[in-house]
Structures are given as structure tokens and as C-alpha cells.
Amino acid sequence: MENEKKEYLSGSSLERILRAGYFAVTGELGPPQNANPEVVRKKAKVLKGNCDAVNITDNQTAIVRMSSIGAGILAEQEGLEPIIQMTCRDRNRLAIQSDLLGAYALGMRNLLCLTGDHQAFGNHPTSKNVFDIDSLQLVKAVADMRDEKKFMSGDEFKSSEPRFLVGAAAAPFADPLDFRPYRLAKKIEAGANFIQTQLVYDLDAFEIYMKKVRELGLHEKAYILAGVGPLKSPMMAKYMKNNVPGILVPDELIERMTEAGAEWKGKKKKDMTKEEKRARSKAWKAEGIKICIDLVKDMQKIEGIAGVHIMAIEWESAVKEIVEGAGLYPRPVVEA
Amino acid sequence: MIVAEQKSLEEMKALISDAEKVLVLGCGTCVTVCFAGGEKETMIASSSLRMATKLDGKDIKIEHATVQRQCEWEYLDQVADQIKDADVVLSLGCGIGVQAIVERFPESWVVPGLNTTFLGLPSEQGVWVERCAACGECVLDITGGICPIARCSKSLMNGPCGGSEDGHCEIDKDVECAWQLIYDRLAAKGKLDSILKLQPPKDWSSSRDGGPRKIVRPDLRFINEELEE
Ligand code: SF4
Ligand code: SF4
């Protein structure tokens, strides 16, 4: 990690917490599909104090939503530090750089660089995509703005360059599996200061990945936050296992989820009363949170893991339970 | 080769609905090998149109012809009379063919009977796949002869993205992940070094993003001028 005496890169509270050696917690806040600031404020209030910073998604799954910078400012106003997500799908290098200047001017300090889901997934499948640069090139561009004081064109900043803490994502279990640690190495070499991984449920597989990551010395060059998230139901667990690329869900966890709803076993959804359905869902969700707490506890024991990134979009209240359950509450404050 | 697909009969009918005399003009090169606008397809399309317009109660005179290459003026000149004689030329050449006719015969009205789709190859009987996006700065040396620009859904230079699974791309299980192919080939050749290096942002100015492109070869121009003297 950076020398203790060195100046902060961005001075964000996430950076200060990571640098101080605390086990960091980040969360996620999905902006609404409308222009209502109250939606963001409400979610921010739920998350505030339970995590050190939150990712504000950028047109997630290619569905148009309030911009990540706009929603990030609202979160910041609520006292919740945002991590602005920026994808390469919707902006070329001019738009990306100018948005970064604007975001920094408005007080944003953390940036997560992503390639972005293809627009075929979203609600504008007939649109044109951009992909002028990819996520690695974006990481380098943002790091170069800060460290070399240069635009992508090579032009120099005369003053006031944006100084972001640069983040990137990692997909430990996507294909080609053997290449994944090396792709992470490329991202860190490009300048990523922190990494958030895709959801991890399979600790054995993750240990194998992390072993390689440590062999490559990557955990010493960037803070790696393991992605975790509470399962809502056995169906969701199965769906993710079978349909979401790069997510492994061990059968053992699917069984734990199924077991949690054992009281209602064999009952068809259409034969159940509203109350029964609600009770079953509650039981599943409680187990999902328990599993997540176990995962967070286990992550704290893995060498090279600097924190967790809790993904509980549209279930923000779960974050508090998980953080408390894992003994990570209250969150530390590191003065600038 | 350039790969194209015929527009539907309905669409073609609409394109010629105001005409009295139509020339359906095929091309003997790329669109012949992809069975979209060769001599045979041109013949079939014109007779289908003849029947369909007759059934609609219209009296449109529909002729057909096929030139060796619609994208070169000298071949078009061979059917100059037929082109000039028609009120509408329905081209079964690629988009370049349509424009070549327009440029050579500005008086004529030319409409496209094909949707020009991509640069590719036939991978199996009845299947064509895209292989090149004519980006103007070929990087196949880095990626082991598999194009990341045309074949990766996001044109990534530092792929694969997190959506790659079991060899297919996140957008569709029927689409191969170009970066899985690149990885496999380089691994097999012991050349993975090539993709361990960070590739800088691509210079898209040689691509369509730089505006319409043009190649001028002074060496060839010079010879031509000499010959003309
Ligand atoms: S790199 Fe460019 S020129 Fe080469 S095959 Fe791909 S699109 Fe065509
Ligand atoms: S899955 Fe493969 S082909 Fe599809 S966008 Fe990602 S890297 Fe490109």
C-alpha cells in the first residue's frame, strides 16, 4: 500500500478508511427511473452510517435512470459518500472527461470504472453504443489525470486536475477463468487503487482466485473489496447460479435457503395465503442475511481482502443488518 | 466479402410502386456468393415482383440484368441503355452498387433491394458471419488473427469483459465471445504475452469516426497519367 506519509490520492473518506487499515464496507445505491430526488435521499438515509461509501450505478443494465453524478450529489448532501460509477457504453472520451471534471467540481472523490452492460439488455436496445475506450483505458485515463495532470489527449492541466480514487471491478469467476487474475493485474497496472469484485458465494473458488492474486502481489498494490449480497430466495440463488455469467452459487447455500422455507415445503404459490407468502419470504430473507453475514466474516480472514462491497439494490435495509451481524458496526471515522 | 440480405418482397414492391418500367439489377460478385443478389436471385426477384404487382392490379414492366461488378462504372456502362430506360432501378447489389449507379447515371432513380449487412465469410452451409469492421488500423497481429473490433460486442481492446461465459458473449448464447477465442488461440500458441500488455485507446480516426474515408495511391495515379500521355 502507499507509504503512510504520502499524501492522500483523493482524500475521500473511503481512501482514509482503507489507508488506516480498517476493513472497509461499501454499498450500492441504484438511482430511480425518474427525476425524484426524494427516492435517492430516502435510500441514502437508510445506508448512511452503515457503509463507508456507496456505488451510484450508471444506467445499470442499460436502463435509463437518474445520472450517477446527479444521484451522487444527492447522496453526498445526505452525508453519504458516493462512488460514482462510469461506464464506457454511453460516453466517448470527450464526454467522460468533461463529466469527470464536473463530478469532481461538485465534490465527488471516488470513481469506479466499468465497461458497462451491452445496451441489448436494457430498455433502449435499438440505441447505438459508444465503447470508444474500455474500462482499463478509462482507469488509466482517470489515474493519469490525477498523477500526470494530463488529459487523454496529452494536454496538460494548468491547474485543478480532478483527483479521484480510482476503482475497477473484477469478475473472478467469469471465463476464461485462468485469465481473470491477469486481467485484474492489468487493471491495477493501469492505475486502479481499489477493486470491487462481482458477487462471491463460493468461498473455495474465491480462495483459489485470491491465492493467485497474492502470488502476483496484487493485494499489495490495490485494496480489494469482495462483493457480497444477501440472497432473497432459493429461486434467486438458482437463477443466479444458472443465468448470471461469472456467479457461482454452491448447492450447499441453495439448500440452506430451501431449508429456511421448509415449513411451507410442497405448497404451491397459488395455494398460499398472502400471510403465508409473506412469512415464507421473511424466513428466506432472514437466512439470506445470515449467509451474507457468514460470508463477510469469512472474507475478513482472507489475506489480501481489504473490505466488502455489499450489493443489496432495492433491499438497502439489509446492509445495516449485515454490517451489524458481522461486527463491523459502527463504522470508523478517519479524520482528514 | 460483403454480406447482404434481400429486403422482403413487400418492401421491394413498395419501392417500385410508382414506376412503370423497372430494372432489377443484380451483381456478380459478393452478393452472388452470399445468394442475395446474383443472377439467379435477380431473376427470381424480378419474376416474383412481376407476379405480385400483377396480382395487385398494377401494370409495371419489370426487366432484369446482372453485371459482373456493380461497384465499378465500366461494368455498369455495359447496361447503360437498360438503366436509362427504366424509371426505377431496383439494385440487388450492395450499398456501394446502388451509389455507383447513382453516380454514373445521375438522371436515374435507384433504390436498394438489399440490406448490406457486414464484411464476413460463409462459416457453414447457409450461414455467414461477420469478421471485419474495416476499422482502418488492423490489430489482428495483437489478437492472434481474431478481430476484437468486429467480433467482440463491445469492441474491447483489453477484453474479455465480465460477461464471457462458456465461450459465448453476454449479449446472446449464440454469439461467440471473441475474447475467449483470442485467449484460447494465444494460449495454444504460447503467445499470451500479447494480451497481458495494456492496449492504449484505439485511434478511431482511421475508422468511420474520422469521416468518410478515401485512399489515394500516388504510385498508381502516376502510372495512369503516364499511360494517358
Ligand atoms: S482490426 Fe480492424 S481492419 Fe483488422 S479485422 Fe478488425 S475491423 Fe478489420
Ligand atoms: S462477452 Fe466477450 S464478446 Fe461479449 S462483450 Fe464481453 S468480451 Fe466482448
Side-chain angles (χ1 to χ4, degrees), chain A residues 62-94:
Chain A
I63 289 170
V64 176
R65 294 169 181 279
M66 185 188 291
S67 77
S68 54
I69 296 170
I73 290 156
L74 294 167
E76 176 87 34
Q77 287 169 357
E78 291 303 314
L80 180 63
E81 184 171 279
I83 299 169
I84 302 302
Q85 292 196 181
M86 172 83 63
T87 72
C88 300
R89 179 194 54 231
D90 308 331
R91 304 171 180 82
N92 69 3
R93 55 192 97 170
L94 278 90

Side-chain angles (χ1 to χ4, degrees), chain A residues 93 115-118 121 129 131-134 136-137 140 152 171 174-176 178-180 182-183 186 190 245, chain B residues 153-154 156-167 170-171 180 183 195-202 204:
Chain A
R93 55 192 97 170
T115 300
D117 296 320
H118 195 271
F121 288 105
N129 59 38
F131 299 119
D132 175 16
I133 58 174
D134 61 31
L136 281 98
Q137 295 158 349
K140 182 156 175 18
M152 287 186 77
D175 286 324
D178 293 343
F179 189 60
R180 290 298 157 179
Y182 295 98
R183 189 150 193 271
K186 273 177 93 169
Chain B
S153 303
K154 300 174 189 167
L156 302 179
M157 286 295 290
N158 292 286
C161 76
S164 178
E165 195 180 34
D166 293 335
E170 67 174 30
I171 68 160
Q180 176 74 56
Y183 177 82
I195 55 167
L196 292 178
K197 276 191 298 261
L198 180 71
Q199 290 303 325
K202 195 166 161 59
W204 295 108

Side-chain angles (χ1 to χ4, degrees), chain A residues 242-290:
Chain A
N242 299 327
N243 297 296
V244 185
I247 296 190
L248 306 177
V249 187
D251 289 335
E252 178 204 323
L253 293 189
I254 298 179
E255 272 158 36
R256 261 182 81 174
M257 289 300 289
T258 313
E259 201 44 43
E263 198 183 326
W264 300 272
K265 200 179 158 196
K267 283 212 172 180
K268 291 227 169 65
K269 204 174 169 184
K270 61 173 174 31
D271 303 327
M272 288 171 75
T273 64
K274 247 194 187 147
E275 288 68 36
E276 280 180 306
K277 273 189 241 168
R278 210 172 288 147
R280 187 177 66 172
S281 164
K282 215 175 140 194
W284 278 337
K285 283 174 141 186
E287 188 61 22
I289 288 193
K290 261 197 217 149

Side-chain angles (χ1 to χ4, degrees), chain B:
Chain B
M1 66 162 114
I2 293 174
V3 182
E5 249 182 329
Q6 258 183 32
K7 288 182 186 281
S8 70
L9 188 64
E10 281 308 307
E11 284 175 279
M12 288 199 234
K13 232 168 63 182
L15 291 173
I16 59 164
S17 65
D18 294 337
E20 278 169 20
K21 240 179 175 183
V22 172
L23 173 65
V24 182
L25 189 59
C27 171
T29 308
C30 303
V31 294
T32 294
V33 265
C34 65
F35 302 97
E39 194 163 8
K40 195 168 147 226
E41 291 76 36
T42 305
M43 213 168 70
I44 297 171
S46 57
S47 52
S48 310
L49 281 168
R50 230 171 272 134
M51 269 191 281
T53 47
K54 195 169 256 161
L55 282 176
D56 289 349
K58 279 195 174 143
D59 186 21
I60 305 180
K61 192 162 170 266
I62 301 173
E63 283 182 5
H64 66 89
T66 301
V67 294
Q68 192 179 332
R69 262 204 294 289
Q70 233 180 70
C71 58
E72 285 186 57
W73 290 329
E74 57 181 285
Y75 294 107
L76 292 175
D77 288 345
Q78 294 166 4
V79 289
D81 290 342
Q82 279 170 285
I83 291 175
K84 285 180 190 159
D85 201 35
D87 345 299
V88 172
V89 178
L90 176 68
S91 163
L92 292 193
C94 69
I96 308 165
V98 176
Q99 296 176 69
I101 310 169
V102 167
E103 284 168 45
R104 191 62 161 175
F105 303 97
E107 301 299 320
S108 299
W109 187 247
V110 194
V111 293
L114 302 187
N115 292 319
T116 306
T117 314
F118 55 78
L119 307 180
L121 57 80
S123 60
E124 46 190 291
Q125 181 78 25
V127 180
W128 288 266
V129 281
E130 182 165 18
R131 288 295 178 255
C132 173
C135 76
E137 197 195 28
C138 197
V139 300
L140 288 176
D141 54 318
I142 301 168
T143 55
I146 295 158
C147 176
I149 308 304
R151 298 176 69 181
C152 164
S153 303
K154 300 174 189 167
S155 296
L156 302 179
M157 286 295 290
N158 292 286
C161 76
S164 178
E165 195 180 34
D166 293 335
H168 56 245
C169 170
E170 67 174 30
I171 68 160
D172 193 327
K173 286 201 169 28
D174 289 336
V175 176
E176 286 175 308
C177 169
W179 276 96
Q180 176 74 56
L181 298 172
I182 293 168
Y183 177 82
D184 290 345
R185 181 160 159 81
L186 294 177
K189 290 267 171 208
K191 288 185 192 286
L192 280 174
D193 279 3
S194 164
I195 55 167
L196 292 178
K197 276 191 298 261
L198 180 71
Q199 290 303 325
K202 195 166 161 59
D203 176 354
W204 295 108
S205 67
S206 60
S207 182
R208 249 295 307 156
D209 306 86
R213 293 167 280 177
K214 181 176 178 176
I215 293 176
V216 183
R217 286 271 305 267
D219 52 336
L220 297 178
R221 290 182 67 78
F222 188 62
I223 294 165
N224 280 343
E225 276 159 25
E226 267 182 354
L227 286 177
E228 273 162 27
E229 268 171 25

